[in-house]
PDB file of all heavy atoms in Angstrom:
ATOM      1  N   VAL A   1     155.657  90.085 130.072  1.00  0.00           N
ATOM      2  CA  VAL A   1     154.527  89.513 129.125  1.00  0.00           C
ATOM      3  C   VAL A   1     155.169  88.562 128.105  1.00  0.00           C
ATOM      4  O   VAL A   1     154.629  87.406 128.023  1.00  0.00           O
ATOM      5  CB  VAL A   1     153.798  90.684 128.361  1.00  0.00           C
ATOM      6  CG1 VAL A   1     152.820  90.189 127.409  1.00  0.00           C
ATOM      7  CG2 VAL A   1     153.087  91.610 129.381  1.00  0.00           C
ATOM      8  N   LEU A   2     156.216  88.977 127.497  1.00  0.00           N
ATOM      9  CA  LEU A   2     156.741  88.075 126.355  1.00  0.00           C
ATOM     10  C   LEU A   2     157.452  86.803 127.164  1.00  0.00           C
ATOM     11  O   LEU A   2     157.482  85.776 126.359  1.00  0.00           O
ATOM     12  CB  LEU A   2     157.784  88.854 125.650  1.00  0.00           C
ATOM     13  CG  LEU A   2     157.137  90.016 124.744  1.00  0.00           C
ATOM     14  CD1 LEU A   2     158.189  90.754 123.858  1.00  0.00           C
ATOM     15  CD2 LEU A   2     156.065  89.394 123.819  1.00  0.00           C
ATOM     16  N   GLY A   3     157.860  86.932 128.349  1.00  0.00           N
ATOM     17  CA  GLY A   3     158.438  85.783 128.974  1.00  0.00           C
ATOM     18  C   GLY A   3     157.429  84.773 129.229  1.00  0.00           C
ATOM     19  O   GLY A   3     157.600  83.511 129.167  1.00  0.00           O
ATOM     20  N   MET A   4     156.293  85.174 129.613  1.00  0.00           N
ATOM     21  CA  MET A   4     155.111  84.184 129.907  1.00  0.00           C
ATOM     22  C   MET A   4     154.806  83.489 128.535  1.00  0.00           C
ATOM     23  O   MET A   4     154.513  82.289 128.494  1.00  0.00           O
ATOM     24  CB  MET A   4     153.801  84.968 130.464  1.00  0.00           C
ATOM     25  CG  MET A   4     154.014  85.276 131.849  1.00  0.00           C
ATOM     26  SD  MET A   4     152.575  86.066 132.382  1.00  0.00           S
ATOM     27  CE  MET A   4     152.998  87.915 132.250  1.00  0.00           C
ATOM     28  N   ILE A   5     154.825  84.241 127.382  1.00  0.00           N
ATOM     29  CA  ILE A   5     154.566  83.614 126.093  1.00  0.00           C
ATOM     30  C   ILE A   5     155.643  82.675 125.679  1.00  0.00           C
ATOM     31  O   ILE A   5     155.390  81.466 125.409  1.00  0.00           O
ATOM     32  CB  ILE A   5     154.380  84.742 125.104  1.00  0.00           C
ATOM     33  CG1 ILE A   5     153.055  85.455 125.311  1.00  0.00           C
ATOM     34  CG2 ILE A   5     154.282  84.028 123.587  1.00  0.00           C
ATOM     35  CD1 ILE A   5     152.983  86.669 124.432  1.00  0.00           C
ATOM     36  N   ALA A   6     156.858  83.033 125.870  1.00  0.00           N
ATOM     37  CA  ALA A   6     158.029  82.227 125.470  1.00  0.00           C
ATOM     38  C   ALA A   6     158.039  80.945 126.404  1.00  0.00           C
ATOM     39  O   ALA A   6     158.369  79.802 125.927  1.00  0.00           O
ATOM     40  CB  ALA A   6     159.328  82.997 125.765  1.00  0.00           C
ATOM     41  N   SER A   7     157.528  81.001 127.643  1.00  0.00           N
ATOM     42  CA  SER A   7     157.525  79.852 128.495  1.00  0.00           C
ATOM     43  C   SER A   7     156.275  78.970 128.108  1.00  0.00           C
ATOM     44  O   SER A   7     156.333  77.733 128.573  1.00  0.00           O
ATOM     45  CB  SER A   7     157.322  80.247 130.010  1.00  0.00           C
ATOM     46  OG  SER A   7     158.477  80.951 130.412  1.00  0.00           O
ATOM     47  N   SER A   8     155.375  79.382 127.299  1.00  0.00           N
ATOM     48  CA  SER A   8     154.348  78.517 126.886  1.00  0.00           C
ATOM     49  C   SER A   8     154.569  77.886 125.557  1.00  0.00           C
ATOM     50  O   SER A   8     153.746  77.104 125.164  1.00  0.00           O
ATOM     51  CB  SER A   8     153.048  79.471 126.589  1.00  0.00           C
ATOM     52  OG  SER A   8     152.748  79.987 127.829  1.00  0.00           O
ATOM     53  N   LEU A   9     155.848  78.062 125.086  1.00  0.00           N
ATOM     54  CA  LEU A   9     156.323  77.302 123.907  1.00  0.00           C
ATOM     55  C   LEU A   9     157.350  76.294 124.224  1.00  0.00           C
ATOM     56  O   LEU A   9     157.932  76.365 125.302  1.00  0.00           O
ATOM     57  CB  LEU A   9     156.911  78.398 122.912  1.00  0.00           C
ATOM     58  CG  LEU A   9     156.078  79.558 122.379  1.00  0.00           C
ATOM     59  CD1 LEU A   9     156.957  80.648 121.745  1.00  0.00           C
ATOM     60  CD2 LEU A   9     154.929  78.983 121.474  1.00  0.00           C
ATOM     61  N   SER A  10     157.624  75.357 123.283  1.00  0.00           N
ATOM     62  CA  SER A  10     158.600  74.371 123.525  1.00  0.00           C
ATOM     63  C   SER A  10     159.952  75.100 123.389  1.00  0.00           C
ATOM     64  O   SER A  10     159.989  76.363 122.997  1.00  0.00           O
ATOM     65  CB  SER A  10     158.627  73.359 122.384  1.00  0.00           C
ATOM     66  OG  SER A  10     159.017  73.867 121.171  1.00  0.00           O
ATOM     67  N   ASP A  11     160.959  74.554 123.809  1.00  0.00           N
ATOM     68  CA  ASP A  11     162.328  75.167 123.824  1.00  0.00           C
ATOM     69  C   ASP A  11     162.657  75.714 122.461  1.00  0.00           C
ATOM     70  O   ASP A  11     163.172  76.912 122.307  1.00  0.00           O
ATOM     71  CB  ASP A  11     163.347  74.222 124.330  1.00  0.00           C
ATOM     72  CG  ASP A  11     164.699  74.782 124.551  1.00  0.00           C
ATOM     73  OD1 ASP A  11     164.805  75.786 125.429  1.00  0.00           O
ATOM     74  OD2 ASP A  11     165.762  74.615 123.753  1.00  0.00           O
ATOM     75  N   GLN A  12     162.503  74.867 121.446  1.00  0.00           N
ATOM     76  CA  GLN A  12     162.949  75.287 120.076  1.00  0.00           C
ATOM     77  C   GLN A  12     162.003  76.369 119.528  1.00  0.00           C
ATOM     78  O   GLN A  12     162.435  77.402 119.017  1.00  0.00           O
ATOM     79  CB  GLN A  12     162.907  74.119 119.138  1.00  0.00           C
ATOM     80  CG  GLN A  12     163.252  74.478 117.754  1.00  0.00           C
ATOM     81  CD  GLN A  12     164.639  75.088 117.649  1.00  0.00           C
ATOM     82  OE1 GLN A  12     165.630  74.532 118.312  1.00  0.00           O
ATOM     83  NE2 GLN A  12     164.886  76.025 116.808  1.00  0.00           N
ATOM     84  N   GLU A  13     160.709  76.266 119.909  1.00  0.00           N
ATOM     85  CA  GLU A  13     159.788  77.370 119.512  1.00  0.00           C
ATOM     86  C   GLU A  13     160.015  78.663 120.132  1.00  0.00           C
ATOM     87  O   GLU A  13     159.995  79.733 119.505  1.00  0.00           O
ATOM     88  CB  GLU A  13     158.324  76.871 119.713  1.00  0.00           C
ATOM     89  CG  GLU A  13     157.926  75.736 118.861  1.00  0.00           C
ATOM     90  CD  GLU A  13     156.652  75.053 119.397  1.00  0.00           C
ATOM     91  OE1 GLU A  13     156.257  75.212 120.573  1.00  0.00           O
ATOM     92  OE2 GLU A  13     156.045  74.299 118.762  1.00  0.00           O
ATOM     93  N   ALA A  14     160.375  78.582 121.319  1.00  0.00           N
ATOM     94  CA  ALA A  14     160.866  79.799 122.155  1.00  0.00           C
ATOM     95  C   ALA A  14     162.114  80.507 121.550  1.00  0.00           C
ATOM     96  O   ALA A  14     162.063  81.735 121.487  1.00  0.00           O
ATOM     97  CB  ALA A  14     160.981  79.473 123.604  1.00  0.00           C
ATOM     98  N   ARG A  15     163.003  79.657 121.156  1.00  0.00           N
ATOM     99  CA  ARG A  15     164.205  80.225 120.513  1.00  0.00           C
ATOM    100  C   ARG A  15     163.844  80.889 119.259  1.00  0.00           C
ATOM    101  O   ARG A  15     164.364  81.898 118.866  1.00  0.00           O
ATOM    102  CB  ARG A  15     165.241  79.056 120.208  1.00  0.00           C
ATOM    103  CG  ARG A  15     165.860  78.558 121.556  1.00  0.00           C
ATOM    104  CD  ARG A  15     166.854  77.477 121.220  1.00  0.00           C
ATOM    105  NE  ARG A  15     167.446  76.956 122.475  1.00  0.00           N
ATOM    106  CZ  ARG A  15     168.322  77.521 123.256  1.00  0.00           C
ATOM    107  NH1 ARG A  15     168.880  78.675 122.825  1.00  0.00           N
ATOM    108  NH2 ARG A  15     168.775  76.992 124.312  1.00  0.00           N
ATOM    109  N   GLU A  16     162.927  80.140 118.325  1.00  0.00           N
ATOM    110  CA  GLU A  16     162.474  80.905 117.199  1.00  0.00           C
ATOM    111  C   GLU A  16     161.736  82.141 117.400  1.00  0.00           C
ATOM    112  O   GLU A  16     161.923  83.176 116.677  1.00  0.00           O
ATOM    113  CB  GLU A  16     161.627  79.787 116.301  1.00  0.00           C
ATOM    114  CG  GLU A  16     162.358  78.710 115.821  1.00  0.00           C
ATOM    115  CD  GLU A  16     161.560  77.687 115.169  1.00  0.00           C
ATOM    116  OE1 GLU A  16     160.484  77.934 114.716  1.00  0.00           O
ATOM    117  OE2 GLU A  16     161.880  76.385 115.201  1.00  0.00           O
ATOM    118  N   PHE A  17     160.803  82.110 118.398  1.00  0.00           N
ATOM    119  CA  PHE A  17     160.184  83.343 118.658  1.00  0.00           C
ATOM    120  C   PHE A  17     160.927  84.445 119.012  1.00  0.00           C
ATOM    121  O   PHE A  17     160.861  85.626 118.541  1.00  0.00           O
ATOM    122  CB  PHE A  17     159.122  83.031 119.812  1.00  0.00           C
ATOM    123  CG  PHE A  17     158.305  84.070 120.476  1.00  0.00           C
ATOM    124  CD1 PHE A  17     157.298  84.707 119.618  1.00  0.00           C
ATOM    125  CD2 PHE A  17     158.479  84.490 121.684  1.00  0.00           C
ATOM    126  CE1 PHE A  17     156.495  85.752 120.261  1.00  0.00           C
ATOM    127  CE2 PHE A  17     157.834  85.557 122.217  1.00  0.00           C
ATOM    128  CZ  PHE A  17     156.779  86.231 121.503  1.00  0.00           C
ATOM    129  N   THR A  18     161.875  84.198 119.986  1.00  0.00           N
ATOM    130  CA  THR A  18     162.756  85.378 120.427  1.00  0.00           C
ATOM    131  C   THR A  18     163.801  85.745 119.469  1.00  0.00           C
ATOM    132  O   THR A  18     164.216  86.894 119.587  1.00  0.00           O
ATOM    133  CB  THR A  18     163.546  84.897 121.759  1.00  0.00           C
ATOM    134  OG1 THR A  18     164.209  83.751 121.568  1.00  0.00           O
ATOM    135  CG2 THR A  18     162.463  84.671 122.904  1.00  0.00           C
ATOM    136  N   ALA A  19     163.967  85.018 118.407  1.00  0.00           N
ATOM    137  CA  ALA A  19     164.956  85.401 117.380  1.00  0.00           C
ATOM    138  C   ALA A  19     164.357  86.567 116.553  1.00  0.00           C
ATOM    139  O   ALA A  19     165.129  87.245 115.934  1.00  0.00           O
ATOM    140  CB  ALA A  19     165.243  84.198 116.454  1.00  0.00           C
ATOM    141  N   HIS A  20     163.147  86.663 116.610  1.00  0.00           N
ATOM    142  CA  HIS A  20     162.390  87.756 115.874  1.00  0.00           C
ATOM    143  C   HIS A  20     162.168  88.980 116.688  1.00  0.00           C
ATOM    144  O   HIS A  20     161.390  89.844 116.185  1.00  0.00           O
ATOM    145  CB  HIS A  20     161.240  87.254 115.148  1.00  0.00           C
ATOM    146  CG  HIS A  20     161.671  86.174 114.194  1.00  0.00           C
ATOM    147  ND1 HIS A  20     162.114  86.320 112.806  1.00  0.00           N
ATOM    148  CD2 HIS A  20     161.640  84.772 114.305  1.00  0.00           C
ATOM    149  CE1 HIS A  20     162.422  85.283 112.284  1.00  0.00           C
ATOM    150  NE2 HIS A  20     161.978  84.289 113.102  1.00  0.00           N
ATOM    151  N   LEU A  21     162.515  89.006 117.841  1.00  0.00           N
ATOM    152  CA  LEU A  21     162.253  90.088 118.769  1.00  0.00           C
ATOM    153  C   LEU A  21     163.549  90.978 118.903  1.00  0.00           C
ATOM    154  O   LEU A  21     164.593  90.581 118.465  1.00  0.00           O
ATOM    155  CB  LEU A  21     161.879  89.738 120.141  1.00  0.00           C
ATOM    156  CG  LEU A  21     160.584  88.763 120.246  1.00  0.00           C
ATOM    157  CD1 LEU A  21     160.428  88.150 121.726  1.00  0.00           C
ATOM    158  CD2 LEU A  21     159.357  89.632 119.945  1.00  0.00           C
ATOM    159  N   PRO A  22     163.398  92.170 119.324  1.00  0.00           N
ATOM    160  CA  PRO A  22     164.591  93.028 119.480  1.00  0.00           C
ATOM    161  C   PRO A  22     165.611  92.295 120.325  1.00  0.00           C
ATOM    162  O   PRO A  22     165.338  91.479 121.274  1.00  0.00           O
ATOM    163  CB  PRO A  22     164.028  94.325 120.262  1.00  0.00           C
ATOM    164  CG  PRO A  22     162.681  94.369 119.827  1.00  0.00           C
ATOM    165  CD  PRO A  22     162.143  93.005 119.736  1.00  0.00           C
ATOM    166  N   ASP A  23     166.868  92.656 120.139  1.00  0.00           N
ATOM    167  CA  ASP A  23     167.986  91.877 120.780  1.00  0.00           C
ATOM    168  C   ASP A  23     167.842  91.890 122.305  1.00  0.00           C
ATOM    169  O   ASP A  23     168.357  90.849 122.936  1.00  0.00           O
ATOM    170  CB  ASP A  23     169.429  92.517 120.462  1.00  0.00           C
ATOM    171  CG  ASP A  23     169.735  92.313 118.950  1.00  0.00           C
ATOM    172  OD1 ASP A  23     169.112  91.391 118.364  1.00  0.00           O
ATOM    173  OD2 ASP A  23     170.519  93.131 118.485  1.00  0.00           O
ATOM    174  N   TRP A  24     167.432  92.857 123.048  1.00  0.00           N
ATOM    175  CA  TRP A  24     167.236  92.831 124.459  1.00  0.00           C
ATOM    176  C   TRP A  24     166.199  91.986 124.931  1.00  0.00           C
ATOM    177  O   TRP A  24     166.075  91.578 126.131  1.00  0.00           O
ATOM    178  CB  TRP A  24     167.054  94.266 125.007  1.00  0.00           C
ATOM    179  CG  TRP A  24     165.769  94.935 124.609  1.00  0.00           C
ATOM    180  CD1 TRP A  24     165.642  95.549 123.468  1.00  0.00           C
ATOM    181  CD2 TRP A  24     164.614  95.065 125.287  1.00  0.00           C
ATOM    182  NE1 TRP A  24     164.261  96.120 123.429  1.00  0.00           N
ATOM    183  CE2 TRP A  24     163.632  95.766 124.631  1.00  0.00           C
ATOM    184  CE3 TRP A  24     164.266  94.696 126.587  1.00  0.00           C
ATOM    185  CZ2 TRP A  24     162.354  96.165 125.035  1.00  0.00           C
ATOM    186  CZ3 TRP A  24     162.866  94.891 127.037  1.00  0.00           C
ATOM    187  CH2 TRP A  24     162.066  95.644 126.279  1.00  0.00           C
ATOM    188  N   LEU A  25     165.364  91.344 123.982  1.00  0.00           N
ATOM    189  CA  LEU A  25     164.335  90.369 124.363  1.00  0.00           C
ATOM    190  C   LEU A  25     164.683  89.011 123.780  1.00  0.00           C
ATOM    191  O   LEU A  25     163.960  88.303 123.240  1.00  0.00           O
ATOM    192  CB  LEU A  25     162.991  90.805 123.811  1.00  0.00           C
ATOM    193  CG  LEU A  25     162.515  92.065 124.362  1.00  0.00           C
ATOM    194  CD1 LEU A  25     161.320  92.652 123.542  1.00  0.00           C
ATOM    195  CD2 LEU A  25     162.110  91.960 125.830  1.00  0.00           C
ATOM    196  N   ASP A  26     166.030  88.660 124.050  1.00  0.00           N
ATOM    197  CA  ASP A  26     166.490  87.289 123.553  1.00  0.00           C
ATOM    198  C   ASP A  26     165.969  86.094 124.425  1.00  0.00           C
ATOM    199  O   ASP A  26     165.356  86.355 125.523  1.00  0.00           O
ATOM    200  CB  ASP A  26     168.021  87.369 123.401  1.00  0.00           C
ATOM    201  CG  ASP A  26     168.773  87.545 124.822  1.00  0.00           C
ATOM    202  OD1 ASP A  26     168.110  87.519 125.830  1.00  0.00           O
ATOM    203  OD2 ASP A  26     169.949  87.687 124.742  1.00  0.00           O
ATOM    204  N   TYR A  27     166.354  84.960 123.912  1.00  0.00           N
ATOM    205  CA  TYR A  27     165.949  83.704 124.576  1.00  0.00           C
ATOM    206  C   TYR A  27     166.366  83.694 126.100  1.00  0.00           C
ATOM    207  O   TYR A  27     165.600  83.403 126.959  1.00  0.00           O
ATOM    208  CB  TYR A  27     166.411  82.448 123.777  1.00  0.00           C
ATOM    209  CG  TYR A  27     166.127  81.187 124.387  1.00  0.00           C
ATOM    210  CD1 TYR A  27     165.062  80.572 124.232  1.00  0.00           C
ATOM    211  CD2 TYR A  27     167.130  80.592 125.340  1.00  0.00           C
ATOM    212  CE1 TYR A  27     164.769  79.405 124.905  1.00  0.00           C
ATOM    213  CE2 TYR A  27     166.927  79.490 126.055  1.00  0.00           C
ATOM    214  CZ  TYR A  27     165.733  78.868 125.722  1.00  0.00           C
ATOM    215  OH  TYR A  27     165.481  77.563 126.296  1.00  0.00           O
ATOM    216  N   ASP A  28     167.631  83.984 126.321  1.00  0.00           N
ATOM    217  CA  ASP A  28     168.187  83.928 127.634  1.00  0.00           C
ATOM    218  C   ASP A  28     167.451  84.942 128.542  1.00  0.00           C
ATOM    219  O   ASP A  28     167.133  84.508 129.723  1.00  0.00           O
ATOM    220  CB  ASP A  28     169.700  84.229 127.698  1.00  0.00           C
ATOM    221  CG  ASP A  28     170.477  83.031 127.149  1.00  0.00           C
ATOM    222  OD1 ASP A  28     170.032  81.947 127.287  1.00  0.00           O
ATOM    223  OD2 ASP A  28     171.611  83.311 126.696  1.00  0.00           O
ATOM    224  N   THR A  29     167.089  86.057 128.120  1.00  0.00           N
ATOM    225  CA  THR A  29     166.386  87.005 128.938  1.00  0.00           C
ATOM    226  C   THR A  29     164.888  86.569 129.171  1.00  0.00           C
ATOM    227  O   THR A  29     164.558  86.639 130.361  1.00  0.00           O
ATOM    228  CB  THR A  29     166.370  88.352 128.132  1.00  0.00           C
ATOM    229  OG1 THR A  29     167.686  88.808 127.965  1.00  0.00           O
ATOM    230  CG2 THR A  29     165.583  89.450 128.914  1.00  0.00           C
ATOM    231  N   LEU A  30     164.196  86.003 128.216  1.00  0.00           N
ATOM    232  CA  LEU A  30     162.880  85.729 128.416  1.00  0.00           C
ATOM    233  C   LEU A  30     162.622  84.355 128.892  1.00  0.00           C
ATOM    234  O   LEU A  30     161.459  84.099 129.551  1.00  0.00           O
ATOM    235  CB  LEU A  30     162.135  86.015 127.091  1.00  0.00           C
ATOM    236  CG  LEU A  30     162.016  87.315 126.522  1.00  0.00           C
ATOM    237  CD1 LEU A  30     161.264  87.310 125.263  1.00  0.00           C
ATOM    238  CD2 LEU A  30     161.407  88.215 127.518  1.00  0.00           C
ATOM    239  N   ARG A  31     163.449  83.391 128.708  1.00  0.00           N
ATOM    240  CA  ARG A  31     163.180  82.020 129.092  1.00  0.00           C
ATOM    241  C   ARG A  31     164.406  81.191 129.593  1.00  0.00           C
ATOM    242  O   ARG A  31     164.314  80.416 130.397  1.00  0.00           O
ATOM    243  CB  ARG A  31     162.514  81.274 127.951  1.00  0.00           C
ATOM    244  CG  ARG A  31     162.287  79.857 128.362  1.00  0.00           C
ATOM    245  CD  ARG A  31     161.607  79.058 127.201  1.00  0.00           C
ATOM    246  NE  ARG A  31     161.538  77.706 127.613  1.00  0.00           N
ATOM    247  CZ  ARG A  31     160.766  76.824 127.062  1.00  0.00           C
ATOM    248  NH1 ARG A  31     159.933  77.199 126.080  1.00  0.00           N
ATOM    249  NH2 ARG A  31     160.846  75.560 127.323  1.00  0.00           N
ATOM    250  N   GLY A  32     165.565  81.524 129.038  1.00  0.00           N
ATOM    251  CA  GLY A  32     166.681  80.760 129.397  1.00  0.00           C
ATOM    252  C   GLY A  32     167.183  80.509 130.699  1.00  0.00           C
ATOM    253  O   GLY A  32     167.819  79.449 131.047  1.00  0.00           O
ATOM    254  N   HIS A  33     166.820  81.328 131.574  1.00  0.00           N
ATOM    255  CA  HIS A  33     167.332  81.189 133.038  1.00  0.00           C
ATOM    256  C   HIS A  33     166.244  80.585 133.872  1.00  0.00           C
ATOM    257  O   HIS A  33     166.411  80.407 135.104  1.00  0.00           O
ATOM    258  CB  HIS A  33     167.783  82.621 133.586  1.00  0.00           C
ATOM    259  CG  HIS A  33     168.911  83.217 132.794  1.00  0.00           C
ATOM    260  ND1 HIS A  33     170.121  82.535 132.653  1.00  0.00           N
ATOM    261  CD2 HIS A  33     168.953  84.236 132.099  1.00  0.00           C
ATOM    262  CE1 HIS A  33     170.991  83.351 131.980  1.00  0.00           C
ATOM    263  NE2 HIS A  33     170.283  84.368 131.580  1.00  0.00           N
ATOM    264  N   GLN A  34     165.099  80.250 133.388  1.00  0.00           N
ATOM    265  CA  GLN A  34     164.066  79.647 134.139  1.00  0.00           C
ATOM    266  C   GLN A  34     164.426  78.233 134.345  1.00  0.00           C
ATOM    267  O   GLN A  34     164.554  77.439 133.395  1.00  0.00           O
ATOM    268  CB  GLN A  34     162.726  79.771 133.456  1.00  0.00           C
ATOM    269  CG  GLN A  34     162.239  81.232 133.262  1.00  0.00           C
ATOM    270  CD  GLN A  34     160.988  81.330 132.474  1.00  0.00           C
ATOM    271  OE1 GLN A  34     160.304  80.317 132.232  1.00  0.00           O
ATOM    272  NE2 GLN A  34     160.727  82.585 132.035  1.00  0.00           N
ATOM    273  N   GLU A  35     164.324  77.717 135.542  1.00  0.00           N
ATOM    274  CA  GLU A  35     164.524  76.319 135.864  1.00  0.00           C
ATOM    275  C   GLU A  35     163.206  75.469 135.480  1.00  0.00           C
ATOM    276  O   GLU A  35     163.419  74.482 134.964  1.00  0.00           O
ATOM    277  CB  GLU A  35     164.876  76.212 137.324  1.00  0.00           C
ATOM    278  CG  GLU A  35     166.260  76.676 137.703  1.00  0.00           C
ATOM    279  CD  GLU A  35     166.622  76.348 139.088  1.00  0.00           C
ATOM    280  OE1 GLU A  35     166.032  75.478 139.787  1.00  0.00           O
ATOM    281  OE2 GLU A  35     167.501  77.189 139.659  1.00  0.00           O
ATOM    282  N   ASN A  36     162.193  76.086 135.826  1.00  0.00           N
ATOM    283  CA  ASN A  36     160.963  75.281 135.612  1.00  0.00           C
ATOM    284  C   ASN A  36     160.029  76.223 134.734  1.00  0.00           C
ATOM    285  O   ASN A  36     159.414  77.154 135.276  1.00  0.00           O
ATOM    286  CB  ASN A  36     160.163  74.981 136.851  1.00  0.00           C
ATOM    287  CG  ASN A  36     160.971  74.113 137.747  1.00  0.00           C
ATOM    288  OD1 ASN A  36     161.579  73.017 137.260  1.00  0.00           O
ATOM    289  ND2 ASN A  36     161.118  74.405 138.999  1.00  0.00           N
ATOM    290  N   THR A  37     159.918  75.956 133.408  1.00  0.00           N
ATOM    291  CA  THR A  37     159.030  76.709 132.588  1.00  0.00           C
ATOM    292  C   THR A  37     157.775  76.152 132.833  1.00  0.00           C
ATOM    293  O   THR A  37     157.406  74.934 133.078  1.00  0.00           O
ATOM    294  CB  THR A  37     159.503  76.641 131.122  1.00  0.00           C
ATOM    295  OG1 THR A  37     159.517  75.268 130.635  1.00  0.00           O
ATOM    296  CG2 THR A  37     160.828  77.211 130.827  1.00  0.00           C
ATOM    297  N   ARG A  38     156.724  76.976 132.813  1.00  0.00           N
ATOM    298  CA  ARG A  38     155.438  76.584 133.001  1.00  0.00           C
ATOM    299  C   ARG A  38     154.388  77.410 132.082  1.00  0.00           C
ATOM    300  O   ARG A  38     154.628  78.641 131.911  1.00  0.00           O
ATOM    301  CB  ARG A  38     155.005  76.684 134.536  1.00  0.00           C
ATOM    302  CG  ARG A  38     154.021  77.741 134.870  1.00  0.00           C
ATOM    303  CD  ARG A  38     153.737  77.664 136.263  1.00  0.00           C
ATOM    304  NE  ARG A  38     152.734  78.315 136.901  1.00  0.00           N
ATOM    305  CZ  ARG A  38     151.519  78.738 136.477  1.00  0.00           C
ATOM    306  NH1 ARG A  38     151.272  78.548 135.249  1.00  0.00           N
ATOM    307  NH2 ARG A  38     150.665  79.322 137.235  1.00  0.00           N
ATOM    308  N   THR A  39     153.551  76.711 131.540  1.00  0.00           N
ATOM    309  CA  THR A  39     152.528  77.382 130.686  1.00  0.00           C
ATOM    310  C   THR A  39     151.648  78.335 131.437  1.00  0.00           C
ATOM    311  O   THR A  39     151.056  77.850 132.573  1.00  0.00           O
ATOM    312  CB  THR A  39     151.738  76.298 129.900  1.00  0.00           C
ATOM    313  OG1 THR A  39     152.564  75.564 129.063  1.00  0.00           O
ATOM    314  CG2 THR A  39     150.744  77.072 128.963  1.00  0.00           C
TER     315      THR A  39
END
């Protein structure tokens, strides 16, 4: 669920969003490894 939201944000916005989530829900986990992010 949170990965779909992170992918709907710009890269910087996704970084800011994930910075406020628990550590196990970091940027790399939710979005960083996606080759093609899509809204």
Side-chain angles (χ1 to χ4, degrees):
V1 174
L2 295 178
M4 286 183 265
I5 293 168
S7 293
S8 297
L9 299 168
S10 72
D11 187 64
Q12 184 58 39
E13 293 163 345
R15 288 180 186 281
E16 291 174 26
F17 174 69
T18 58
H20 297 281
L21 298 174
D23 292 341
W24 63 279
L25 297 167
D26 63 6
Y27 174 87
D28 286 334
T29 300
L30 297 181
R31 180 178 167 161
H33 300 297
Q34 296 177 10
E35 289 183 24
N36 298 314
T37 59
R38 108 177 193 30
T39 300

